[in-house]
Amino acid sequence: MDLIIHEVDQFSKHKLNLINLINKIPETSFNSDNEKISHTDFKIPRSMKREYVDYFFNNIYENYCNNLTSVIKASSIGFNNIWFQVYNKSDWHGSHTHPGTHFTNVLYINLPNKNLKTILKKPNGEVINFDAKEGDLITFPAYYQHHSPENKSNEKKIIISFNIDIHSYKY
């Protein structure tokens, strides 16, 4: 499995709610040699209330899990971590992997340009070509190198990312 794309049901009704809940989180940026992200909760203490997480679990996650378990023949999925990222103009995220987990996921909440989608590479360096739009939730092996290209748009790119593990497969 290289990539699974799950289209969130009735995403247009969820988009504004998710953006409003994300905007309730105090702005915390990430700047390093490998990234420039204007707003994320990645390093905010996990004890802080994150209403967008509750909304995500109550309105999106169950349908996604049902779809994924059916596609990959899994009987059990374990949730690992969740965070959001807001990319303003000139923001980007360098190539990286997510060690210690099976799959990484990206939900595109605001995607002003299809060229801003996550760039995925197989271990052999081959780029995985795919179409993505707002409301798509992509799932890919966590050991795949991936990055977010520089946002050259004046509009924000907003994503929610999370990791999952497969606990058992149906035989």
Side-chain angles (χ1 to χ4, degrees), residues 18-27 39 84 86 156 158:
L18 287 167
I19 291 171
N20 287 337
L21 292 171
I22 284 169
N23 286 334
K24 285 180 144 185
I25 305 291
E27 284 204 25
H39 188 195
F84 71 83
V86 177
K156 296 176 181 185
I158 304 173

Side-chain angles (χ1 to χ4, degrees), residues 3 5 13 18 29 34 39 42 49 51 53 59 68 71 79 86 89 92 102-103 107 142 148 154 165 170:
L3 175 75
I5 300 176
K13 91 174 191 184
L18 287 167
S29 62
N34 196 47
H39 188 195
F42 190 77
K49 180 70 175 159
E51 293 178 63
V53 174
N59 294 282
L68 185 64
V71 170
F79 180 81
V86 177
K89 186 172 186 169
W92 57 280
H102 296 148
F103 294 98
L107 170 59
S148 181
N154 289 322
D165 295 319
K170 298 175 187 174

Side-chain angles (χ1 to χ4, degrees), residues 89-135:
K89 186 172 186 169
S90 301
D91 287 358
W92 57 280
H93 197 165
S95 188
H96 64 285
T97 63
H98 294 211
T101 192
H102 296 148
F103 294 98
T104 297
N105 305 270
V106 176
L107 170 59
Y108 296 105
I109 297 171
N110 200 63
L111 190 64
N113 182 320
K114 289 184 183 238
N115 294 329
L116 290 175
K117 72 180 187 278
T118 307
I119 308 298
L120 302 172
K121 289 185 182 179
K122 294 181 184 183
N124 66 4
E126 178 186 343
V127 174
I128 299 171
N129 292 311
F130 66 98
D131 287 326
K133 64 185 180 314
E134 291 177 358

Side-chain angles (χ1 to χ4, degrees), residues 2-153:
D2 287 326
L3 175 75
I4 295 172
I5 300 176
H6 172 79
E7 189 174 330
V8 173
D9 290 337
Q10 301 175 347
F11 180 73
S12 60
K13 91 174 191 184
H14 301 303
K15 179 179 176 175
L16 190 56
N17 289 329
L18 287 167
I19 291 171
N20 287 337
L21 292 171
I22 284 169
N23 286 334
K24 285 180 144 185
I25 305 291
E27 284 204 25
T28 304
S29 62
F30 249 27
N31 284 300
S32 74
D33 291 341
N34 196 47
E35 63 203 339
K36 180 179 180 286
I37 303 167
S38 290
H39 188 195
T40 181
D41 63 340
F42 190 77
K43 288 196 174 181
I44 291 175
R46 293 291 149 202
S47 59
M48 183 179 170
K49 180 70 175 159
R50 291 170 165 77
E51 293 178 63
Y52 81 91
V53 174
D54 294 336
Y55 186 92
F56 175 79
F57 276 109
N58 291 331
N59 294 282
I60 297 169
Y61 188 70
E62 183 177 348
N63 190 355
Y64 158 77
C65 283
N66 290 338
N67 179 63
L68 185 64
T69 56
S70 174
V71 170
I72 65 172
K73 309 290 189 254
S75 57
S76 178
I77 293 176
F79 180 81
N80 196 307
N81 195 0
I82 188 167
W83 62 96
F84 71 83
Q85 291 177 207
V86 177
Y87 297 86
N88 290 341
K89 186 172 186 169
S90 301
D91 287 358
W92 57 280
H93 197 165
S95 188
H96 64 285
T97 63
H98 294 211
T101 192
H102 296 148
F103 294 98
T104 297
N105 305 270
V106 176
L107 170 59
Y108 296 105
I109 297 171
N110 200 63
L111 190 64
N113 182 320
K114 289 184 183 238
N115 294 329
L116 290 175
K117 72 180 187 278
T118 307
I119 308 298
L120 302 172
K121 289 185 182 179
K122 294 181 184 183
N124 66 4
E126 178 186 343
V127 174
I128 299 171
N129 292 311
F130 66 98
D131 287 326
K133 64 185 180 314
E134 291 177 358
D136 284 347
L137 200 165
I138 64 169
T139 300
F140 55 93
Y143 62 89
Y144 279 17
Q145 289 280 331
H146 57 284
H147 72 273
S148 181
E150 181 181 350
N151 183 0
K152 296 182 180 178
S153 166

